């Protein structure tokens, strides 16, 4: 799940001048917006939220401070700025910090947050038991080695783990050491094209399958929460609905990824003598499955089955079944890890960032800031004159372009998706606003171009097997073809599903 951002300097700190400039620009933008006479029926609370949004976007893009720190600061701004504004229901009174506090903490009561936290437990359990490593080595030992096979294996491993390891960073962190070991055992040049191809493929396939599977990325769960908030529980996105819509695109793009990588980075060697045996030996060295691995695999498959049949065979929602699974994972005797083991491996700051992200988006909706801004977006792009397909084409291109400035898809979702929801609900004509919102959520995972666009990219970049230029060359092809594939699906498959 793409829920954290990489450290760009030792200790996770940015150079002082960059941090200072980013922070000052954020403050300056907020002050300018506060002083502008926006009008248009925008409530004072909404005016304050637009200033907070500007501050958040600049701080996130510049990475002026740690995401966890910026999230706490954003919460404080909501409490005191919105709290000082006139109550929208009774302008003779101020909202007050008590009501604003509920708004700032509202995201922590969202079911999406519970699912993200639970997903992090599953990822930790995979690491503790070593099940993720076993699945990866088992797959690679059967597919074999060679210029083509090793790339196919990297993609297949990523797909398989996407189903049961709901964390993009965790999946990548598991696969990368295995593939580095494979590169060494196969006696490949670590700086050669094949090694670069393997690592780039892992990062890009992870982003592709963040689109294919609802539970594979935090931004998907955040999008689900916004859809449920805006359109009601009857429009909540189920695992199978997302999979039916997104997986065909992800499958097609996985094939595209294979051919693009082969074209941009032709391998220096096609046949690797003894390669398959080397992978088989690595798998055999793991020994037989432990009891904890067997229990975790069983539980993961049961959860996958419950996720896939939500709303079809039962009415248990994804968050509830996942929390139930976590409870079983931690039970003494029958569980797979202790609380202390889980506690050390779970990035609790991610949970905080996610909760504040939901609160920010909800506050933009509740204070009418998103609705006011949506009017501006509609007029700027003339969206009210476009068809449903045209609206999707314009807004998806906008999201893909602006993602170049974000290192966190979760932050991008929190900042922009509520505004786009307001845009869609304000448009005339027969369009499926909830369906198009889900499709726009797909484009949030387009972190293909720059290594800093997604944490999994940075994990792979840290192996020093490829350059930023190589990654970007592959990423530009994937972005262009991926966008065209979005448009193709928007004309064919997604209308059949009633999403456009």
């Amino acid at each position: 799940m793409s829920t954290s951002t990489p450290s760009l300097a030792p200790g996770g700190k940015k150079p002082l001048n960059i941090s200072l400039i980013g922070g000052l620009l954020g403050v300056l933008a907020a002050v300018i917006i506060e002083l502008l006479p926006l009008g248009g029926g925008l409530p004072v609370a909404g005016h304050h939220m637009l200033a907070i949004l500007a501050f958040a976007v600049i701080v996130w893009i510049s990475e002026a401070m740690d995401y966890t720190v910026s999230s706490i600061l954003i919460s404080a701004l909501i409490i005191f700025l919105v709290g000082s504004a006139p109550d929208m229901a009774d302008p003779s009174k101020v909202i007050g910090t008590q009501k604003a506090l509920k708004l700032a903490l509202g995201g922590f009561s969202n079911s999406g947050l519970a699912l993200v936290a639970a997903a992090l437990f599953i990822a930790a359990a995979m690491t503790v038991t070593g099940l993720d490593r076993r699945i990866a080595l088992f797959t690679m030992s059967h597919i074999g080695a060679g210029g083509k096979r090793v790339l196919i294996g990297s993609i297949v491993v990523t797909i398989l783990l996407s189903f049961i390891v709901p964390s993009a960073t965790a999946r990548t962190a598991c696969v990368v050491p295995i593939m580095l070991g494979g590169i060494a055992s196969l006696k490949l040049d670590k700086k050669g094209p094949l090694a670069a191809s393997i690592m780039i493929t892992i990062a890009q396939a992870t982003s592709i399958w963040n689109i294919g599977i609802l539970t594979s990325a935090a931004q998907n769960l955040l999008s689900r929460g916004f859809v449920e908030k805006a359109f009601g529980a009857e429009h909540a996105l189920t695992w199978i609905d997302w999979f039916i819509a997104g997986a065909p695109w992800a499958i097609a793009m996985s094939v595209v990824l294979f051919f693009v990588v082969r074209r941009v980075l032709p391998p220096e060697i096609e046949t690797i003598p003894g390669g398959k045996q080397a992978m088989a030996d690595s798998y055999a060295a793991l020994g037989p499955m432990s009891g904890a691995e067997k229990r975790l695999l069983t539980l993961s498959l049961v959860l996958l089955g419950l996720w896939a049949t939500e709303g079809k065979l039962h009415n248990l929602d994804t968050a509830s079944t996942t929390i139930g699974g976590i409870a079983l994972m931690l039970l003494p005797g029958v569980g797979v890890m202790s609380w202390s083991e889980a506690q050390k491996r779970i990035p609790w700051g991610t949970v905080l960032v996610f909760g504040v992200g939901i609160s920010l988006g909800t506050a933009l909706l509740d204070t009418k800031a998103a609705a006011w801004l949506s009017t501006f977006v509609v007029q700027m792009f003339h969206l009210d004159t476009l068809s449903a397909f045209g609206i999707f084409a314009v807004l998806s291109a906008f999201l893909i372009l602006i993602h170049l400035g974000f290192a966190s898809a979760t932050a991008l979702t929190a900042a922009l998706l509520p505004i786009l929801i307001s845009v869609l609900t304000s448009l005339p004509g027969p369009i499926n606003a909830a369906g198009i919102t889900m499709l726009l959520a797909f484009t949030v995972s387009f972190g293909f171009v720059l290594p800093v666009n997604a944490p999994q990219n940075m994990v792979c970049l840290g192996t020093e097997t490829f350059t930023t230029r190589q990654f970007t060359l592959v990423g530009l092809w994937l972005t262009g073809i991926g966008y065209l594939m979005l448009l193709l699906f928007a004309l064919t498959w997604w209308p059949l599903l009633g999403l456009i």
Side-chain angles (χ1 to χ4, degrees), residues 127 177 199 229 341 392 429 486:
T127 303
M199 289 303 161
K229 161 84 175 169
E341 289 175 317
F392 172 71
L486 288 177

Side-chain angles (χ1 to χ4, degrees), residues 141-313:
S141 67
H142 282 74
I143 292 178
K148 293 180 180 179
R149 287 179 174 271
V150 74
L151 288 184
I152 294 173
S154 300
I155 294 171
V156 172
V157 166
T158 302
I159 294 173
L160 291 177
L161 291 179
S162 294
F163 281 95
I164 59 175
V165 183
S167 168
T169 309
R171 292 196 301 274
T172 308
C174 157
V175 177
V176 162
I178 294 171
M179 298 311 297
L180 280 177
I183 289 170
S185 63
L186 298 174
K187 298 180 173 58
L188 297 176
D189 180 6
K190 188 179 176 182
K191 301 289 186 181
L194 185 53
S197 298
I198 293 169
M199 289 303 161
I200 291 174
T201 296
I202 292 169
Q204 305 288 26
T206 300
S207 292
I208 288 171
W209 280 91
N210 281 350
I211 295 170
I213 299 173
L214 173 65
T215 49
S216 65
Q219 61 266 23
N220 300 348
L221 306 177
L222 185 56
S223 300
R224 171 181 169 143
F226 285 144
V227 169
E228 186 172 355
K229 161 84 175 169
F231 303 105
E234 66 273 14
H235 291 285
L237 306 174
T238 66
W239 191 95
I240 194 66
D241 290 338
W242 187 289
F243 185 76
I244 291 173
W249 182 93
I251 291 170
M253 282 303 297
S254 296
V255 176
V256 170
L257 171 63
F258 172 79
F259 286 105
V260 165
V261 170
R262 293 272 300 175
R263 170 108 183 165
V264 175
L265 297 169
E268 70 273 28
I269 184 173
E270 285 288 3
T271 303
I272 305 175
K276 186 173 182 179
Q277 187 59 45
M279 288 291 184
D281 291 343
S282 296
Y283 176 69
L286 295 177
M289 286 185 73
S290 66
E293 285 179 280
K294 292 177 181 178
R295 292 193 298 275
L296 179 58
L297 179 60
T298 301
L299 185 56
S300 298
L301 293 176
V302 170
L303 283 176
L304 181 60
L306 290 172
W307 293 340
T309 55
E310 177 192 351
K312 310 297 180 183
L313 300 181

Side-chain angles (χ1 to χ4, degrees), residues 49 52-53 56 60 74 78 355-365 414-415:
M49 280 307 306
I52 294 170
L53 175 65
W60 285 338
I74 290 167
I78 293 174
V356 172
I358 297 175
S359 297
L360 176 65
T362 301
L364 287 168
L365 291 169

Side-chain angles (χ1 to χ4, degrees), residues 211 249 377 381 383 386-404 412 416-417 420 423-424 435-448 479-480 482-490 494 500:
I211 295 170
W249 182 93
V377 173
F381 292 113
L383 296 180
L386 300 179
S387 64
F389 171 80
I391 292 166
F392 172 71
V394 170
L395 294 182
S396 58
F398 170 72
L399 277 176
I400 291 170
L401 182 63
I402 202 168
H403 193 182
L404 294 174
L412 177 61
L416 293 184
L417 200 62
L420 297 183
V423 168
L424 294 170
I436 294 178
T437 299
M438 181 177 78
L439 301 182
L440 290 175
F442 291 171
T443 66
V444 173
S445 293
F446 266 56
F448 301 127
T479 300
Y483 178 66
L484 293 177
M485 291 284 286
L486 288 177
L487 299 185
L488 176 62
F489 273 70
W494 293 330
I500 291 186

Side-chain angles (χ1 to χ4, degrees), residues 59 61 65 74 96-97 110 190 197 272 294 345 425 432:
V59 168
I61 288 177
M65 60 187 74
I74 290 167
T97 55
N110 188 283
K190 188 179 176 182
S197 298
I272 305 175
K294 292 177 181 178
R345 289 173 170 81
T425 54
N432 184 344

